[in-house]
Structure formats: structure tokens, C-alpha cells
Amino acid sequence: MATAKKTPAAAPAKKAPTEKSSAAKPAAEKKAAPVKAAAKPAAAKKAAAPAAPRKPNAAFMKEMTPSTVLAAVVGAAPLPRTEVTKKVWDYIKKLDLQDPANRRMINADDKLKAVFGGKAQVSMFEMTKLISDHLK
């Protein structure tokens, strides 16, 4: 069923202040909000600056040597952290090691159990922490 959009009802008009109410409360007059001058130059800087290509973080791109236990999964060649994580995920997906009920949990096989410190199941967030212990 399609429903038609309802137009919002017009708000009731406010009454004009009477002389008594405005004279009785002179301190209650509203002051104009100060204009933010800093916002205009910031917007001008963004428009004037050309979009620079994103630079990768050097810490993530530093090649690290995996331990012998982790090398059984990703290989013995030095790799950046990002590539190690990608290779571990490729291994997990190739062998269908994600828990079918909760895809955030990884069921370890014999090779991954050694990487995960003997745990049979870990979360994907805990997995990255455990992998970092095996990188030098």
C-alpha cells in the first residue's frame, strides 16, 4: 500500500508582545548571536586547497617478519601488517573457518590454533591482537 505524504500543519502564529510584558522585562531582550568569523576562512582553505592523494601510514607499511607459527599460514616472507591480515582472512575464507551462527567468530584449525595461543575460537577483533604478537 502506498501512503500519501502529509503536509505539515502550519504552526500557530505567535502573539505580538504587549507593552506591559516588554516594559516589565527589559533585561530579557535577546542579543544577536556573534558571527563566527573563523568558519569563513576555514571553508575558503578547503575550497582553495587541491585534494591531495591519501598517504599510507608508514607504520602499517613497514614490512614485518612473521613467526614460524604464523609463517605456516601467510608465508615466511616479510610483509606489512595489512598484507598479513589480508592473507589470514584469505586463509579463513578459503577453509570456511568463520562460525556460521556468528560470523564475527573464527573457529581455529590446527595452524590457526597455534597462532591464537591454543584457543579454539576467537573474535575477529581479538584475532588481530593475537596476530600482532607473532610479528617482529
Side-chain angles (χ1 to χ4, degrees), residues 5-13:
K5 288 187 177 181
K6 295 181 180 179
T7 56

Side-chain angles (χ1 to χ4, degrees), residues 85 88-89 92 104 106 112 115-116 122-133:
T85 305
V88 170
W89 270 111
I92 290 168
R104 288 183 279 179
I106 287 91
L112 283 180
V115 174
F116 296 160
V122 296
S123 73
M124 64 173 62
F125 306 109
E126 186 180 3
M127 177 189 75
T128 56
K129 176 185 167 205
L130 294 170
I131 288 173
S132 69
D133 293 340

